[in-house]
Amino acid sequence: GIQVEQSPPDLILQEGANSTLRCNFSDSVNNLQWFHQNPWGQLINLFYIPSGTKQNGRLSATTVATERYSLLYISSSQTTDSGVYFCAGRNQAGTALIFGKGTTLSVSS
Amino acid sequence: DVKVTQSSRYLVKRTGEKVFLECVQDMDHENMFWYRQDPGLGLRLIYFSYDVKMKEKGDIPEGYSVSREKKERFSLILESASTNQTSMYLCAARRMMNTEAFFGQGTRLTVV
């Protein structure tokens, strides 16, 4: 199966700062998604983004499928953005999503 | 968006018990999944079902079985619970292969 590498593993920010999270894939992927895991453990869908760019409020994401990476941008971060961010994808031969290890974001006021 | 509901948020079971984790989705989606999440290991696929009565083993199926008798319900069964199955279990549903997956709220299982 594919390998999914997320960076950085940890990120500490002051409220109001911007950040970029990166996800690299070892093979071409379909079904690329970004999730935020809330403090109770639920995975919240942020973006379904096999290619291109999408924006939702202060968050945006870009996937460059030909170069096998995706970026998640968080602007004007807030304390409620804290938590673990996961990217996940499926390669052509696979069925389920393969997850990266996540980026743990801590935003302080 | 599809709603995926797991039957319990927290569960404590004894070693050797047979444990059922239930997952229900409300959108007639074909694909359903069970993952477990452990610190340092991330999310790992246990089983995948692509339709009623159809299933595929994931990366870590040992000690688990699944049942999908109706499209909306996917059950994970721990035949004889062991302490190394203490974990966070996450269920997901997806309409078909190239579509977005949605997750339930998770079940934190502790086996004592």
Side-chain angles (χ1 to χ4, degrees), chain A residues 1 8 10 12 19 27 31 33 38 49 51 59 62 75 85-86 94:
Chain A
D10 300 284
I12 299 173
S19 61
D27 198 357
N31 296 70
Q33 291 188 239
N38 68 20
I49 187 165
S51 64
L59 273 59
T62 294
S75 65
Y85 290 80
F86 290 99

Short mmCIF file of all heavy atoms in Angstrom, two decimals, chain A residues 1 8 10 12 19 27 31 33 38 49 51 59 62 75 85-86 94:
data_model
loop_
_atom_site.label_atom_id
_atom_site.label_comp_id
_atom_site.label_asym_id
_atom_site.label_seq_id
_atom_site.Cartn_x
_atom_site.Cartn_y
_atom_site.Cartn_z
N GLY A 1 0.81 -1.20 0.00
CA GLY A 1 0.00 0.00 0.00
C GLY A 1 0.83 1.24 0.00
O GLY A 1 2.06 1.19 0.08
N PRO A 8 4.66 19.25 9.77
CA PRO A 8 5.50 18.70 10.84
C PRO A 8 4.68 17.79 11.75
O PRO A 8 3.46 17.84 11.72
CB PRO A 8 5.93 19.97 11.58
CG PRO A 8 4.77 20.89 11.43
CD PRO A 8 4.22 20.63 10.04
N ASP A 10 4.50 18.06 15.01
CA ASP A 10 3.95 18.93 16.05
C ASP A 10 4.13 20.38 15.63
O ASP A 10 5.13 20.74 15.00
CB ASP A 10 4.66 18.70 17.39
CG ASP A 10 4.51 17.28 17.87
OD1 ASP A 10 3.43 16.94 18.35
OD2 ASP A 10 5.48 16.51 17.73
N ILE A 12 3.33 24.43 17.28
CA ILE A 12 2.84 25.28 18.37
C ILE A 12 2.75 26.70 17.84
O ILE A 12 3.74 27.23 17.31
CB ILE A 12 3.79 25.22 19.59
CG1 ILE A 12 3.87 23.79 20.11
CG2 ILE A 12 3.30 26.17 20.68
CD1 ILE A 12 4.90 23.58 21.20
N SER A 19 -0.47 28.91 9.39
CA SER A 19 0.34 27.69 9.34
C SER A 19 0.04 26.90 8.08
O SER A 19 -1.03 27.05 7.47
CB SER A 19 0.07 26.81 10.57
OG SER A 19 -1.29 26.43 10.62
N ASP A 27 2.82 7.21 -3.65
CA ASP A 27 2.28 6.81 -4.94
C ASP A 27 1.12 7.77 -5.26
O ASP A 27 0.68 8.53 -4.40
CB ASP A 27 1.79 5.37 -4.87
CG ASP A 27 1.60 4.73 -6.23
OD1 ASP A 27 1.79 5.41 -7.27
OD2 ASP A 27 1.27 3.52 -6.27
N ASN A 31 -9.16 9.92 -3.70
CA ASN A 31 -9.90 10.08 -2.43
C ASN A 31 -9.13 10.83 -1.36
O ASN A 31 -9.27 10.52 -0.17
CB ASN A 31 -10.26 8.70 -1.84
CG ASN A 31 -11.20 7.92 -2.70
OD1 ASN A 31 -10.82 7.47 -3.77
ND2 ASN A 31 -12.44 7.78 -2.27
N GLN A 33 -8.30 13.12 1.52
CA GLN A 33 -9.10 13.87 2.48
C GLN A 33 -8.23 14.43 3.59
O GLN A 33 -7.21 13.82 3.95
CB GLN A 33 -10.17 12.96 3.12
CG GLN A 33 -11.27 12.53 2.17
CD GLN A 33 -12.41 11.80 2.86
OE1 GLN A 33 -12.72 10.66 2.54
NE2 GLN A 33 -13.07 12.47 3.80
N ASN A 38 -11.29 15.88 16.87
CA ASN A 38 -11.64 16.73 17.99
C ASN A 38 -11.22 16.08 19.32
O ASN A 38 -10.79 14.92 19.33
CB ASN A 38 -13.13 17.09 17.96
CG ASN A 38 -14.06 15.91 18.21
OD1 ASN A 38 -13.65 14.88 18.74
ND2 ASN A 38 -15.31 16.05 17.81
N ILE A 49 -10.36 16.39 -1.40
CA ILE A 49 -9.64 17.19 -2.39
C ILE A 49 -8.66 16.33 -3.17
O ILE A 49 -7.44 16.42 -2.96
CB ILE A 49 -8.97 18.41 -1.72
CG1 ILE A 49 -8.36 19.33 -2.76
CG2 ILE A 49 -8.01 18.01 -0.60
CD1 ILE A 49 -7.99 20.71 -2.25
N SER A 51 -7.70 16.73 -6.12
CA SER A 51 -6.82 17.63 -6.88
C SER A 51 -7.35 19.04 -6.74
O SER A 51 -8.51 19.24 -6.33
CB SER A 51 -6.75 17.23 -8.35
OG SER A 51 -8.03 17.36 -8.94
N LEU A 59 -9.73 28.08 6.46
CA LEU A 59 -8.98 26.91 6.01
C LEU A 59 -9.04 26.80 4.49
O LEU A 59 -10.07 27.11 3.87
CB LEU A 59 -9.56 25.63 6.61
CG LEU A 59 -9.07 25.18 7.98
CD1 LEU A 59 -9.32 26.22 9.06
CD2 LEU A 59 -9.70 23.86 8.36
N THR A 62 -4.76 22.52 -0.87
CA THR A 62 -4.33 22.36 -2.26
C THR A 62 -3.72 20.98 -2.40
O THR A 62 -2.89 20.58 -1.59
CB THR A 62 -3.27 23.41 -2.62
OG1 THR A 62 -3.87 24.71 -2.59
CG2 THR A 62 -2.71 23.16 -4.01
N SER A 75 -5.33 29.90 8.43
CA SER A 75 -4.99 31.32 8.61
C SER A 75 -5.65 31.84 9.88
O SER A 75 -6.70 31.33 10.32
CB SER A 75 -5.44 32.14 7.41
OG SER A 75 -6.85 32.12 7.29
N TYR A 85 -4.47 16.90 13.09
CA TYR A 85 -4.90 16.96 11.71
C TYR A 85 -4.34 15.77 10.94
O TYR A 85 -3.14 15.50 10.99
CB TYR A 85 -4.44 18.27 11.06
CG TYR A 85 -5.18 19.46 11.61
CD1 TYR A 85 -4.82 20.03 12.83
CD2 TYR A 85 -6.26 20.00 10.92
CE1 TYR A 85 -5.52 21.10 13.35
CE2 TYR A 85 -6.96 21.09 11.44
CZ TYR A 85 -6.59 21.63 12.65
OH TYR A 85 -7.28 22.69 13.17
N PHE A 86 -5.22 15.06 10.26
CA PHE A 86 -4.82 13.90 9.47
C PHE A 86 -5.11 14.12 8.00
O PHE A 86 -6.13 14.72 7.64
CB PHE A 86 -5.60 12.65 9.91
CG PHE A 86 -5.26 12.13 11.26
CD1 PHE A 86 -6.05 12.44 12.36
CD2 PHE A 86 -4.15 11.31 11.44
CE1 PHE A 86 -5.74 11.94 13.61
CE2 PHE A 86 -3.84 10.81 12.69
CZ PHE A 86 -4.63 11.13 13.78
N GLY A 94 -5.98 0.17 -4.13
CA GLY A 94 -6.51 -0.02 -2.79
C GLY A 94 -8.00 0.22 -2.69
O GLY A 94 -8.65 0.66 -3.63
#
